Each structure stands twice: as C-alpha cells, then as structure tokens.
Amino acid sequence: MKTLNFSIQWHITDRCLNRCKHCYIDTCTNDVSFEQYRYVMDKLRRFEEHHDVIIPGFCITGGDPFCNVDFYKIVEDLSRRGKKVSILGIPERVTTDNMRFLSQNGISCYQVSLDGTQMDHDSIRGDGSYLRTIEAIKTLEQYDIPRTIMFTLGEHNRKDMFQLIKELDKEDVAADFTFDFLVEEGKAKVNCMEMISPECCESIFDEYFQQMQRHQKEKKRLRLRMKSPMMKAYALSKSEDGIGYSTILNRIDGCHCGISSCAILPNGDVYPCRRLPICIGNIYDEDFEEIILDNEFIKRFRRRDSYALCEDCQHFTVCRGCPAISYSFSGNPFGKTPYCFSKKTVPNGDALSKDNGEIDLLLNGVGQLDTVYTRRMISDYIKKNMQRSKENGN
C-alpha cells in the first residue's frame, strides 16, 4: 500500500474550557462518540483498501478535544492503528497525567496558541492564559513531546508578533513557531476583529523571513516555521539568500485545502478546511470517496484553471494562496488572494507548464486518485530556479 499525502483534522467536540475572541466556532453540536468514530474509521479503512493507500495523519482537535469523554479511547485506537496523531489543544490540559498518556501513545505534536505578548494575548484568550501557555510548553518539553506555537495574525496584533518572538527567545523557549492569518469567521466576525490589510503583508513576510534566517544561523531553540502558503512562496523566492532549496522542498507543497487534507466536524459535516465554512458532504451519510473524489466543488481545488489569480503563476505548485482568506474578503474561495506578493515580482511569461492541469494526491502518483503536484514537479521547479540564479550570478 502507498502512503497517501493526506491528513484529516477531526473536530471531536465544539466544547472548550476557553472561548477565545477570534475562535471560528460559534455554535455547539454533540460530541463524536466512540461508536461514531469507529463507524467513520470503517469507512476510511474501506477507502484505503479500495485504492490500496494509507491515510497516515490525524489531527485531533475541537473545541478542546479533552472535553470529549471518549478522547482517550479515540487517541489510543488511532495509535493502535499506526496512525500519526497530533493534538490542537489548550494549555490547561497539559497536566502530568495527560502528558504521560500522550507520550505513551506516541503523539507527534501538541499545538498551543500565543497571540501576542502577555497583555494582548490575555485580552483574547483570558486572564493568565499567557503564563499558562509558557508553562505548558516547558512541560511538553519535559515529556519530550514535539510542540508548536501558533500565532493568529490580525490587525489587532500585527505589531506584536515580532515582539513575542523576541520574548520567547529571551525565555529560551524550545518549540516550533508559526503564524497564519485571521479569517473573519465565527466569533472573529461577531467581535469585529479585522484581518490585516494587504498593504502590510509583504513587509511581514520579509521580516519573518529575516528572523528565520537569524534563528537558523544562531541555532535558536525557537524554530520559526512556515504555515501560510504565501509565506512559503515568498521564502522560496528569496531562498538563495540563505535558506537552502532542499530545506524548502521538504516543507513546501502549497495550500492543503481540499487537496491533501479536510476537516470533519462533530456532526459529521466535512469542510475542505475548517476556516472555510463550506460543507462538501457528511461523513455519517456518505462514503469518504464520494466526498473527496466525486464532489464537484472540492474537485475545483485540484484544477489549475479554478484560481483567478494563481492559474499562470510560477508558484502555483507550492502556494495557490489561501481559499479561506479569499472567501473572507470576497465570498469566493477561488477569487484573488489579497496577500499575494508574487504577481508584482514574477517576470512575464515565467509560468510553470500547464501540461498537468490536475493534481495527484499520491507522492508517486498513479493517476487513479484525482486529488498536490508530485515532489518531482516541485523538484523540477526548484532546479529551474537554481539554474536561473546561477545565470544571474547569484
């Protein structure tokens, strides 16, 4: 069986000890029971067997996934099945007992959020949250559980991210750090929290890229990573200045939305991405194959000509913007990505070949699954840019 380049973000509850101001959850449905979980896993197993593939990764989240009484049984069962499991959680759940459990079950990552320095973060996530999060990161390190800090970037905190990075360095925090952009959905819309303006975006990319270079050079324990596809494309365009092409290749594959991941909600609804509130089916009522391979809307994410701005861009295979951001700005997930820098910098006629208009989900694509461009295509793109760099004397 081949490993499918696909992961599932499974929201097993909407309940949470916290209700953060920009949370995209604004309703509460029933939790996923263990019986429902097994029912869905049986469907996924049939999909794997039919296509001779393995779905390797599951991200368990909520809400706060620990609020689901079957959380521990679900994680144990995923571990028993040999699945790679990560947790999107809250710091309050980082206790001795929970960390022992997660460590015993081989959790691949535990993600917590920091959205600014102490005052700004606490104004979003509640009094005392900042210090609890710092303590949680240190506890995760003690149990040797990989950890990621997520920063949700909006107009309210765009000036705070680099100050936070400086403070985390001062505290000698050991974790991966990444950021993504706020989308105006759920509580963010209710609380009138604004996305950053497009005019600010390129300067943020540039400063973050410089910080990445500095952290790598100085071997900081805080490892700056890239989540935003636009940030990845920006780094690739600047990579001859310090970050190696091979390093970029290992991490870059563009937006996963509808291509290499999907989100399952507690009521069974399936979204291309949790930040894009468009339901493409219900896993309790339909087979996984019907939703992922046959649904006409999700197929559009795998068609080059669906994207208004990205179709002829040289960064298409490694970016494709963010449909959730486009949707928040215009109501069209395939509309122009407002945070794109590339259209201002790419020379005319320097687009990738359109020979492959469809995207294949398998790393070694066999053509039977219509679902990210293969590593070979990304590799060819990188070689092309390396050659151009040599010709320009860089």
Side-chain angles (χ1 to χ4, degrees):
M1 299 180 78
K2 294 182 178 179
T3 298
L4 202 61
N5 185 25
F6 202 91
S7 63
I8 293 175
Q9 186 181 92
W10 203 336
H11 296 254
I12 62 172
T13 182
D14 285 331
R15 294 182 294 134
C16 187
L17 300 180
N18 303 325
R19 281 297 181 187
C20 305
K21 289 183 178 179
H22 55 31
C23 182
Y24 41 64
I25 298 173
D26 56 1
T27 59
C28 203
T29 60
N30 293 331
D31 292 356
V32 176
S33 68
F34 189 65
E35 289 70 26
Q36 289 173 316
Y37 157 81
R38 289 195 299 184
Y39 177 68
V40 173
M41 291 302 293
D42 284 344
K43 289 191 172 188
L44 296 178
R45 177 182 52 78
R46 289 196 295 271
F47 177 87
E48 291 176 320
E49 291 174 351
H50 178 71
H51 291 287
D52 195 32
V53 296
I54 297 171
I55 299 174
F58 288 77
C59 176
I60 303 302
T61 184
D64 165 23
F66 288 86
C67 283
N68 186 318
V69 295
D70 288 328
F71 167 79
Y72 300 97
K73 292 169 67 175
I74 290 172
V75 170
E76 282 180 331
D77 189 70
L78 285 170
S79 178
R80 180 187 62 79
R81 294 171 186 258
K83 303 299 185 182
K84 181 179 179 181
V85 182
S86 59
I87 305 294
L88 303 187
I90 60 175
E92 289 82 0
R93 298 298 193 178
V94 181
T95 64
T96 297
D97 288 344
N98 283 337
M99 293 308 100
R100 285 176 180 164
F101 170 79
L102 296 181
S103 182
Q104 290 168 359
N105 284 278
I107 297 304
S108 63
C109 181
Y110 191 105
Q111 179 177 298
V112 294
S113 294
L114 282 173
D115 295 318
T117 51
Q118 185 171 352
M119 183 179 296
D120 289 334
H121 173 86
D122 285 359
S123 71
I124 297 169
R125 297 186 179 268
D127 291 344
S129 176
Y130 180 89
L131 293 179
R132 288 194 296 272
T133 304
I134 296 295
E135 187 62 31
I137 295 167
K138 294 177 179 178
T139 301
L140 287 162
E141 182 182 9
Q142 291 173 8
Y143 283 88
D144 198 28
I145 295 174
R147 53 233 163 257
T148 294
I149 299 168
M150 170 58 70
F151 186 100
T152 302
L153 181 65
E155 186 62 31
H156 58 286
N157 65 352
R158 66 178 176 83
K159 296 181 179 179
D160 213 24
M161 182 167 70
F162 297 111
Q163 181 60 38
L164 172 63
I165 290 172
K166 185 182 295 185
E167 290 192 7
L168 295 175
D169 283 339
K170 187 176 179 180
E171 291 280 338
D172 195 31
V173 169
D176 289 345
F177 179 97
T178 192
F179 76 92
D180 208 346
F181 297 101
L182 173 77
V183 293
E184 294 178 5
E185 296 297 333
K187 289 186 176 295
K189 182 181 289 186
V190 172
N191 291 319
C192 300
M193 301 183 78
E194 297 181 359
M195 302 168 69
I196 68 167
S197 66
E199 292 75 20
C200 300
C201 200
E202 191 168 349
S203 63
I204 291 171
F205 287 161
D206 188 64
E207 175 64 20
Y208 192 81
F209 182 74
Q210 292 182 44
Q211 291 273 5
M212 284 180 62
Q213 290 181 303
R214 182 177 67 82
H215 278 68
Q216 289 182 5
K217 183 177 180 180
E218 298 177 8
K219 298 182 178 179
K220 297 284 189 180
R221 293 194 342 129
L222 185 70
R223 300 169 294 275
L224 271 56
R225 308 300 195 195
M226 297 177 289
K227 183 176 187 295
S228 163
M230 293 84 78
M231 180 67 236
K232 293 176 180 179
Y234 185 84
L236 184 57
S237 73
K238 300 289 185 180
S239 56
E240 66 270 20
D241 295 331
I243 295 181
Y245 282 95
S246 61
T247 303
I248 296 293
L249 174 61
N250 290 334
R251 294 201 298 265
I252 200 161
D253 58 359
C255 176
H256 302 296
C257 182
I259 296 175
S260 55
S261 71
C262 68
I264 301 176
L265 275 58
N267 65 358
D269 284 348
V270 180
Y271 288 7
C273 168
R274 183 58 186 89
R275 288 157 31 107
L276 179 61
I278 298 176
C279 180
I280 57 172
N282 188 287
I283 194 64
Y284 297 147
D285 301 330
E286 303 167 69
D287 288 335
F288 190 66
E289 181 166 349
E290 291 180 88
I291 298 170
I292 296 300
L293 300 184
D294 297 340
N295 181 277
E296 291 300 322
F297 177 75
I298 202 170
K299 282 184 181 180
R300 295 183 62 191
F301 292 97
R302 306 189 284 265
R303 301 292 184 271
R304 181 187 281 270
D305 58 7
S306 297
Y307 297 83
L309 191 66
C310 308
E311 179 184 1
D312 62 348
C313 180
Q314 69 164 351
H315 297 297
F316 181 83
T317 59
V318 292
C319 179
R320 300 182 299 283
C322 174
I325 291 173
S326 296
Y327 184 80
S328 284
F329 269 93
S330 68
N332 178 9
F334 304 103
K336 294 183 178 181
T337 300
Y339 297 152
C340 175
F341 76 94
S342 183
K343 287 295 185 176
K344 296 186 296 184
T345 59
V346 175
N348 291 332
D350 194 25
L352 283 169
S353 167
K354 292 188 182 181
D355 290 344
N356 280 325
E358 299 180 358
I359 297 177
D360 181 10
L361 195 81
L362 287 165
L363 294 182
N364 300 309
V366 295
Q368 72 182 79
L369 289 178
D370 168 28
T371 60
V372 129
Y373 274 85
T374 63
R375 293 279 176 175
R376 178 188 59 77
M377 290 190 68
I378 299 176
S379 177
D380 289 347
Y381 163 66
I382 288 172
K383 288 176 182 177
K384 176 182 175 182
N385 278 272
M386 290 178 70
Q387 181 62 37
R388 185 191 305 118
S389 180
K390 290 178 182 178
E391 291 171 356
N392 293 337
N394 294 328

Short mmCIF file of all heavy atoms in Angstrom, two decimals, residues 180 227-231 233 254-257 275 307 309-310 313 315-326 333 335-340:
data_model
loop_
_atom_site.label_atom_id
_atom_site.label_comp_id
_atom_site.label_asym_id
_atom_site.label_seq_id
_atom_site.Cartn_x
_atom_site.Cartn_y
_atom_site.Cartn_z
N ASP A 180 -0.41 32.18 11.02
CA ASP A 180 -1.32 32.21 9.89
C ASP A 180 -2.26 33.40 10.10
O ASP A 180 -2.34 33.96 11.20
CB ASP A 180 -2.10 30.91 9.75
CG ASP A 180 -2.51 30.64 8.30
OD1 ASP A 180 -2.42 31.57 7.47
OD2 ASP A 180 -2.92 29.50 7.99
N LYS A 227 3.69 28.23 7.76
CA LYS A 227 2.39 27.57 7.54
C LYS A 227 1.66 28.20 6.36
O LYS A 227 1.13 27.50 5.51
CB LYS A 227 1.53 27.63 8.79
CG LYS A 227 0.19 26.90 8.65
CD LYS A 227 -0.58 26.91 9.94
CE LYS A 227 -1.83 26.02 9.85
NZ LYS A 227 -2.81 26.52 8.86
N SER A 228 1.64 29.53 6.33
CA SER A 228 0.94 30.22 5.25
C SER A 228 1.56 29.89 3.90
O SER A 228 2.78 30.02 3.72
CB SER A 228 1.01 31.74 5.48
OG SER A 228 0.70 32.43 4.29
N PRO A 229 0.77 29.44 2.92
CA PRO A 229 1.32 29.15 1.60
C PRO A 229 2.00 30.36 0.97
O PRO A 229 3.02 30.23 0.29
CB PRO A 229 0.09 28.74 0.78
CG PRO A 229 -0.90 28.28 1.79
CD PRO A 229 -0.67 29.12 2.99
N MET A 230 1.45 31.57 1.19
CA MET A 230 2.06 32.77 0.63
C MET A 230 3.42 33.03 1.25
O MET A 230 4.36 33.47 0.58
CB MET A 230 1.14 33.98 0.81
CG MET A 230 -0.14 33.90 0.00
SD MET A 230 -1.44 32.92 0.83
CE MET A 230 -2.03 34.09 2.05
N MET A 231 3.56 32.73 2.54
CA MET A 231 4.85 32.87 3.21
C MET A 231 5.85 31.88 2.65
O MET A 231 7.02 32.20 2.43
CB MET A 231 4.67 32.67 4.72
CG MET A 231 5.97 32.78 5.55
SD MET A 231 6.69 34.42 5.60
CE MET A 231 8.34 34.10 4.98
N ALA A 233 5.87 30.58 -0.38
CA ALA A 233 6.26 31.02 -1.72
C ALA A 233 7.23 32.20 -1.64
O ALA A 233 8.18 32.29 -2.41
CB ALA A 233 5.02 31.40 -2.53
N GLY A 254 2.19 23.91 -0.86
CA GLY A 254 1.03 24.73 -1.11
C GLY A 254 -0.12 24.50 -0.14
O GLY A 254 -0.05 23.69 0.78
N CYS A 255 -1.20 25.22 -0.39
CA CYS A 255 -2.37 25.13 0.47
C CYS A 255 -2.94 23.71 0.42
O CYS A 255 -3.12 23.14 -0.65
CB CYS A 255 -3.42 26.14 0.02
SG CYS A 255 -4.96 26.04 0.94
N HIS A 256 -3.24 23.16 1.57
CA HIS A 256 -3.75 21.79 1.65
C HIS A 256 -5.26 21.71 1.41
O HIS A 256 -5.81 20.62 1.26
CB HIS A 256 -3.45 21.21 3.04
CG HIS A 256 -2.01 21.21 3.40
ND1 HIS A 256 -1.08 20.47 2.72
CD2 HIS A 256 -1.31 21.88 4.37
CE1 HIS A 256 0.13 20.65 3.25
NE2 HIS A 256 0.00 21.50 4.24
N CYS A 257 -5.92 22.84 1.38
CA CYS A 257 -7.38 22.90 1.36
C CYS A 257 -7.98 22.08 0.22
O CYS A 257 -7.76 22.36 -0.96
CB CYS A 257 -7.81 24.36 1.25
SG CYS A 257 -9.59 24.62 1.26
N ARG A 275 -11.37 26.55 8.31
CA ARG A 275 -11.50 28.00 8.22
C ARG A 275 -12.33 28.44 7.01
O ARG A 275 -12.59 29.62 6.84
CB ARG A 275 -10.10 28.63 8.14
CG ARG A 275 -9.35 28.56 9.46
CD ARG A 275 -7.83 28.63 9.33
NE ARG A 275 -7.30 29.40 8.24
CZ ARG A 275 -6.70 30.60 8.35
NH1 ARG A 275 -6.63 31.18 9.54
NH2 ARG A 275 -6.19 31.19 7.31
N TYR A 307 -8.47 28.93 -10.24
CA TYR A 307 -7.94 30.02 -9.42
C TYR A 307 -7.78 31.30 -10.25
O TYR A 307 -7.04 31.34 -11.22
CB TYR A 307 -6.61 29.62 -8.81
CG TYR A 307 -6.69 28.44 -7.87
CD1 TYR A 307 -6.68 27.14 -8.36
CD2 TYR A 307 -6.79 28.63 -6.50
CE1 TYR A 307 -6.76 26.05 -7.50
CE2 TYR A 307 -6.88 27.55 -5.63
CZ TYR A 307 -6.87 26.26 -6.14
OH TYR A 307 -6.95 25.18 -5.30
N LEU A 309 -6.32 34.18 -9.64
CA LEU A 309 -5.03 34.86 -9.61
C LEU A 309 -3.87 33.90 -9.82
O LEU A 309 -2.81 34.30 -10.33
CB LEU A 309 -4.85 35.57 -8.26
CG LEU A 309 -3.68 36.54 -8.13
CD1 LEU A 309 -3.87 37.74 -9.06
CD2 LEU A 309 -3.54 37.02 -6.69
N CYS A 310 -4.04 32.64 -9.49
CA CYS A 310 -2.91 31.71 -9.39
C CYS A 310 -2.64 30.89 -10.64
O CYS A 310 -1.58 30.27 -10.77
CB CYS A 310 -3.14 30.74 -8.22
SG CYS A 310 -3.52 31.53 -6.66
N CYS A 313 0.69 31.39 -12.42
CA CYS A 313 1.79 31.81 -11.54
C CYS A 313 2.84 30.71 -11.41
O CYS A 313 2.51 29.53 -11.32
CB CYS A 313 1.25 32.16 -10.15
SG CYS A 313 2.53 32.69 -8.98
N HIS A 315 4.48 30.03 -8.92
CA HIS A 315 4.42 29.45 -7.57
C HIS A 315 3.20 28.57 -7.37
O HIS A 315 2.92 28.16 -6.24
CB HIS A 315 4.42 30.56 -6.51
CG HIS A 315 5.65 31.40 -6.50
ND1 HIS A 315 6.90 30.89 -6.20
CD2 HIS A 315 5.85 32.72 -6.76
CE1 HIS A 315 7.79 31.85 -6.26
NE2 HIS A 315 7.18 32.97 -6.61
N PHE A 316 2.48 28.25 -8.44
CA PHE A 316 1.21 27.53 -8.28
C PHE A 316 1.37 26.23 -7.51
O PHE A 316 0.58 25.90 -6.64
CB PHE A 316 0.59 27.25 -9.65
CG PHE A 316 -0.73 26.54 -9.56
CD1 PHE A 316 -1.90 27.24 -9.33
CD2 PHE A 316 -0.81 25.16 -9.69
CE1 PHE A 316 -3.12 26.58 -9.23
CE2 PHE A 316 -2.02 24.50 -9.60
CZ PHE A 316 -3.18 25.21 -9.37
N THR A 317 2.39 25.44 -7.83
CA THR A 317 2.53 24.12 -7.21
C THR A 317 2.94 24.20 -5.75
O THR A 317 2.86 23.21 -5.04
CB THR A 317 3.56 23.26 -7.96
OG1 THR A 317 4.81 23.93 -7.96
CG2 THR A 317 3.11 23.01 -9.38
N VAL A 318 3.40 25.35 -5.31
CA VAL A 318 3.88 25.47 -3.93
C VAL A 318 3.12 26.51 -3.12
O VAL A 318 3.51 26.84 -2.01
CB VAL A 318 5.40 25.80 -3.90
CG1 VAL A 318 6.20 24.64 -4.43
CG2 VAL A 318 5.70 27.07 -4.69
N CYS A 319 2.01 27.03 -3.67
CA CYS A 319 1.29 28.07 -2.94
C CYS A 319 -0.22 27.93 -3.14
O CYS A 319 -0.91 27.32 -2.37
CB CYS A 319 1.79 29.46 -3.37
SG CYS A 319 0.93 30.83 -2.55
N ARG A 320 -0.75 28.51 -4.21
CA ARG A 320 -2.17 28.58 -4.51
C ARG A 320 -2.96 29.45 -3.54
O ARG A 320 -4.18 29.34 -3.43
CB ARG A 320 -2.80 27.16 -4.60
CG ARG A 320 -2.18 26.29 -5.66
CD ARG A 320 -2.86 24.94 -5.74
NE ARG A 320 -2.75 24.20 -4.50
CZ ARG A 320 -1.64 23.57 -4.12
NH1 ARG A 320 -0.55 23.60 -4.86
NH2 ARG A 320 -1.61 22.90 -2.98
N GLY A 321 -2.24 30.32 -2.81
CA GLY A 321 -2.93 31.25 -1.92
C GLY A 321 -3.65 30.56 -0.79
O GLY A 321 -3.30 29.47 -0.36
N CYS A 322 -4.69 31.22 -0.30
CA CYS A 322 -5.50 30.66 0.79
C CYS A 322 -6.96 30.88 0.47
O CYS A 322 -7.46 32.01 0.55
CB CYS A 322 -5.14 31.31 2.13
SG CYS A 322 -6.21 30.79 3.50
N PRO A 323 -7.68 29.84 0.07
CA PRO A 323 -9.10 30.00 -0.26
C PRO A 323 -9.93 30.56 0.88
O PRO A 323 -10.91 31.28 0.63
CB PRO A 323 -9.53 28.57 -0.61
CG PRO A 323 -8.27 27.92 -1.12
CD PRO A 323 -7.18 28.48 -0.26
N ALA A 324 -9.56 30.24 2.13
CA ALA A 324 -10.33 30.77 3.27
C ALA A 324 -10.19 32.28 3.36
O ALA A 324 -11.15 32.99 3.68
CB ALA A 324 -9.86 30.10 4.57
N ILE A 325 -8.99 32.79 3.09
CA ILE A 325 -8.78 34.24 3.11
C ILE A 325 -9.52 34.89 1.95
O ILE A 325 -10.19 35.92 2.11
CB ILE A 325 -7.27 34.56 3.06
CG1 ILE A 325 -6.60 34.14 4.38
CG2 ILE A 325 -7.04 36.05 2.80
CD1 ILE A 325 -5.09 34.27 4.37
N SER A 326 -9.40 34.29 0.76
CA SER A 326 -10.13 34.83 -0.39
C SER A 326 -11.62 34.87 -0.12
O SER A 326 -12.31 35.84 -0.46
CB SER A 326 -9.84 33.97 -1.63
OG SER A 326 -8.48 34.02 -1.99
N PRO A 333 -13.95 31.50 -2.72
CA PRO A 333 -12.69 30.86 -2.30
C PRO A 333 -11.64 30.80 -3.41
O PRO A 333 -10.46 30.63 -3.13
CB PRO A 333 -13.11 29.46 -1.86
CG PRO A 333 -14.42 29.22 -2.55
CD PRO A 333 -15.08 30.56 -2.66
N GLY A 335 -11.30 33.30 -5.62
CA GLY A 335 -11.04 34.67 -6.04
C GLY A 335 -9.60 35.08 -5.78
O GLY A 335 -8.78 34.30 -5.29
N LYS A 336 -9.29 36.31 -6.13
CA LYS A 336 -7.92 36.80 -5.97
C LYS A 336 -7.50 36.78 -4.51
O LYS A 336 -8.24 37.19 -3.63
CB LYS A 336 -7.81 38.22 -6.53
CG LYS A 336 -8.00 38.29 -8.04
CD LYS A 336 -7.82 39.70 -8.56
CE LYS A 336 -7.96 39.72 -10.08
NZ LYS A 336 -7.78 41.08 -10.64
N THR A 337 -6.28 36.27 -4.29
CA THR A 337 -5.74 36.22 -2.93
C THR A 337 -5.14 37.58 -2.58
O THR A 337 -4.16 37.99 -3.21
CB THR A 337 -4.65 35.13 -2.82
OG1 THR A 337 -5.22 33.87 -3.14
CG2 THR A 337 -4.08 35.08 -1.41
N PRO A 338 -5.70 38.29 -1.61
CA PRO A 338 -5.25 39.66 -1.37
C PRO A 338 -3.85 39.77 -0.79
O PRO A 338 -3.24 40.84 -0.86
CB PRO A 338 -6.29 40.19 -0.36
CG PRO A 338 -6.82 38.96 0.30
CD PRO A 338 -6.81 37.90 -0.74
N TYR A 339 -3.32 38.67 -0.23
CA TYR A 339 -1.99 38.73 0.38
C TYR A 339 -0.89 38.22 -0.55
O TYR A 339 0.22 37.93 -0.12
CB TYR A 339 -1.96 37.92 1.68
CG TYR A 339 -2.91 38.43 2.75
CD1 TYR A 339 -3.44 37.57 3.70
CD2 TYR A 339 -3.28 39.77 2.81
CE1 TYR A 339 -4.29 38.02 4.69
CE2 TYR A 339 -4.13 40.24 3.78
CZ TYR A 339 -4.64 39.36 4.72
OH TYR A 339 -5.49 39.83 5.69
N CYS A 340 -1.17 38.13 -1.84
CA CYS A 340 -0.18 37.63 -2.80
C CYS A 340 0.85 38.71 -3.10
O CYS A 340 0.51 39.85 -3.39
CB CYS A 340 -0.86 37.20 -4.09
SG CYS A 340 0.28 36.71 -5.38
#
